[in-house]
Amino acid sequence: MKRRNFLNIGKAAAAGSFMLNGLSIQALSKSKLFAPFIFDPSAVEDRILVLIQLHGGNDGLNLLLPIEQYADYFTARADIAIPDTGSRSFINVDGTLPLSQQMGLHPDLQPLKDLYDQDKMSIIHSVGYDNHNQSHFRSRDVWWMGADYDEYKSSGWMGRYLDYLYPNYPTIYPSSEMPDPIGLEIGSTVSLGYHRANGIPMALATKDPENFSDIVSGIGGPALSTIPDNHYGSRMGLMNDLFDNAEDYATQLQSRWNAGANYATYPGSGILEYPNESPNNVKVNSLAWQLQTVARLINGGCKTKIYLVKHTGFDTHDFQVDGNDPTVGRHAALLYHLANAVKAFQDDLEISQNDEKVVTVTFSEFGRRVAANGSYGTDHGTAAPMLAFGPAVKGGMIGTPPSITNLDSRGNLMIQTDYRQVFTTLLSDWLGADETAISATEFTPYLAQKVDLIENAYLANPILPVDLLSLRAYQEGKSNVLVWKTANELELSHFILEKSKDGSSFEPLCRVEATGKAGIYEYDCIDDRPYVGNNYYRLLSVDIDGSTKISDIVSLYVEPSVDLKIFPNPVADEFTLSIKNDVILPNIYIRLMDTNGRLVFEREFAVKNTSFEDIINI
């Protein structure tokens, strides 16, 4: 049976006509393992992206701190640092990772830890852009424009993408194919991100969750009775169309609202208010009602493609934390509200069975500086983490924990991922934008730099056949263990697992024969001589015709374990040097000092094996 035929059978099975071990495929459809069998490309048309803007510049280091670098973290910001002990210490996101990769969540983010444990949260480290001037207004514009630091555009990346997807807006909209607003922002104005090249936004704004008539007033007055026949008249005509359509959209959204419902309890006044010390104006969750509105519209069948909500208050120059307890205060309350609002939103969508068509992503115009500023706060920085939520995201972390000591000239974190890499990934791998759509969005350079954010089972327009479901690496004793899982190995010959010390030059480690059959299979390979430091691995899948597919690279960090002895001690004219290692070490350098601290011997030794012993003359 050909893989594509098997997939077609899977689609029919989703109607309940096909059984697997006594269970209908439909019953298994929520599992990421079985999703490749029932993927329906037409479902991409119903997919939705929800953006949460953390307005003001979120302090990513108190949201998510690198555990191995805790001493440096504490030194840089002792008066605002989250403690590593006690009832209000940080939450270890993933204790199964090597220590160098482990991160600590703020203690008020337990709901996000729950989502991570459910494989519904992805952390993207150190996102930003180069040559940051750290201005709120300029940085927001850059993020909205999808531009470089020195570019100025009148349009935004969302507007350009939606303009390509829905041409001739607003003239022929609403339509039977798209009866709802193409983009929707919860607020009083439409952000630059939604604007297209002609300056007309591809979205509407509303701030009333129960009465959408404010959409009409937001357009700016009644329609004109006459329109001049010139360039300005063409723009006036578009605005006229927007006003006419706003009334239709308001009625349509009211209908979606009435048809929908919320199935989870959202924070609000008297419900999950921040329980610890904080300013009164951040006690109540101002984000929750926005996500509650979005969820109800989605549950009511609204087809809007991109929603935007805002969580404000993150410009924490002073009193980011309470002076008596760095785990509470303004920033802690904002994070508490973010976590509880997102968790309620995800629960709501899961109960209504809409969660698989929604990906939610947070972003902020910049992070904060590593060092505290002496006012129990932090100043404008550069890079910050982005968080993504939903069953379709690859649970885990993208990138490496930010270095607390390797900073730029201003004391800011180094950027690992350009923000456009993330947005390009969301457009391409989630919403299904093809190369032409990405070109229209002006993100073509980032197609080759996408991040590994969307689960293989949910990739839009997946490349068939799908062979590799997962590849992971972990340490077991003194060895590195590589495990991979595949599906549908028809036409597949074998696998070659390759190893590298630098991530660029690879050499074969294992060859494993494939079954050549349809089904789910798991394989492993043991590297019993790993390098000290980083070890990089990738998997080559070789078809029977000789064609090869290469997996993404996975890595493991190996700490050195050395048993070094010098005897006798004290040394006279000669000594014996004995080294026994778990792994192959690079060269070592020996220096001997006398009792007065004077150097009497130094030499570099090449260690080419796991054991070394020699008599050394001084």
Side-chain angles (χ1 to χ4, degrees), residues 496-511:
I496 298 176
L497 188 76
E498 295 187 326
K499 173 183 177 180
S500 172
K501 191 172 185 178
D502 57 12
S504 58
S505 299
F506 284 84
E507 59 184 22
L509 178 65
C510 299
R511 173 181 169 133

Side-chain angles (χ1 to χ4, degrees), residues 357-496:
K357 69 178 185 181
V358 181
V359 165
T360 305
V361 182
T362 70
F363 71 98
S364 192
E365 63 260 40
F366 45 66
R368 314 297 291 190
R369 197 154 293 176
V370 173
N373 61 13
S375 299
Y376 296 107
T378 48
D379 295 328
H380 298 180
T382 51
M386 291 179 70
L387 309 177
F389 307 97
V393 304
K394 280 191 174 179
M397 304 186 194
I398 297 173
T400 58
S403 172
I404 302 296
T405 55
N406 180 28
L407 307 175
D408 69 13
S409 59
R410 296 183 179 182
N412 296 313
L413 298 175
M414 304 296 285
I415 292 166
Q416 296 182 41
T417 301
D418 189 287
Y419 74 102
R420 288 162 290 192
Q421 293 176 247
V422 182
F423 289 150
T424 301
T425 301
L426 291 167
L427 292 178
S428 174
D429 291 354
W430 176 241
L431 294 181
D434 59 19
E435 291 185 15
T436 305
I438 295 297
S439 176
T441 312
E442 301 178 15
F443 281 171
T444 297
Y446 301 94
L447 264 179
Q449 304 175 44
K450 293 187 295 183
V451 295
D452 191 19
L453 178 60
I454 303 301
E455 275 281 359
N456 294 346
Y458 291 88
L459 285 173
N461 304 314
I463 300 174
L464 299 176
V466 176
D467 293 319
L468 185 64
L469 297 181
S470 64
L471 171 64
R472 61 190 180 92
Y474 64 91
Q475 291 175 315
E476 189 173 271
K478 300 176 181 179
S479 302
N480 289 349
V481 181
L482 289 301
V483 177
W484 63 97
K485 188 174 291 184
T486 66
N488 303 326
E489 293 183 2
L490 294 170
E491 304 173 18
L492 195 62
S493 171
H494 61 276
F495 304 97
I496 298 176

